Amino acid sequence: MNNYKKISVAEEARVELHDQLNLTGAEISINTLPACASVPFVHSHKQNEEIYGILEGEGYAVIDGEKALLKAGDWLRISPSAKRQFFASDKTAIKYVCIQVKENSLEGYTMTDAVV
C-alpha cells in the first residue's frame, strides 16, 4: 500500500478527500444538498477550475447569473473567475463530486504520461 491509498466514504453532507487520500494535485469533495437546500454562498476562485459530476438527484447551478439545470450523469467545468452557487431541486436532493485543480496545469494525458 505504499503507492496507493483506499478509503470508504460515509454518507455525510460534505466529505473532503484531500486529507483522507493525501492528495497533492487536486482537491476533491463529495457533497449532498437535501431538497430545497443550497450552498449558502456565492464564490469564485483565484486559480482553480472546478469540475462537477452529478452523482444522484437534480438541481441547478447559477453561474455568472445564468441558471444551469443539473441531473445525475451531468458533468460541468467552471472557470476560476466565474461566480457560482449550487441548489438542490424542490423535490429531490442532489449529490455531486467537486474536483478542483489549477487551471492550465494539465501537461499531458494518460496516454502521453503512461510508462509501459
Side-chain angles (χ1 to χ4, degrees):
M1 280 188 67
N2 291 333
N3 289 323
Y4 73 94
K5 186 170 185 180
K6 178 187 173 215
I7 63 167
S8 292
V9 176
E11 287 293 323
E12 297 178 28
R14 182 171 173 88
V15 178
E16 297 279 352
L17 298 179
H18 49 47
D19 290 336
Q20 294 179 46
L21 289 173
N22 300 41
L23 300 177
T24 63
E27 180 178 331
I28 303 173
S29 63
I30 299 170
N31 305 270
T32 303
L33 293 172
C36 299
S38 68
V39 172
F41 53 86
V42 176
H43 75 286
S44 62
H45 289 278
K46 296 175 186 172
Q47 300 181 64
N48 294 343
E49 65 187 5
E50 289 181 321
I51 301 97
Y52 291 88
I54 310 307
L55 304 173
E56 298 173 9
E58 56 187 42
Y60 63 94
V62 176
I63 306 162
D64 287 339
E66 186 176 331
K67 186 176 183 178
L69 297 176
L70 302 169
K71 65 182 182 330
D74 288 347
W75 286 86
L76 176 68
R77 183 249 180 211
I78 303 178
S79 297
S81 63
K83 295 187 182 329
R84 73 220 53 186
Q85 186 176 17
F86 284 79
F87 299 82
S89 78
D90 293 341
K91 298 176 184 171
T92 181
I94 188 169
K95 183 176 184 176
Y96 58 91
V97 60
C98 177
I99 304 164
Q100 192 175 137
V101 295
K102 186 175 179 181
E103 187 177 44
N104 298 314
S105 63
L106 185 62
E107 295 178 358
Y109 298 94
T110 301
M111 292 306 292
T112 58
D113 186 57
V115 179
V116 182

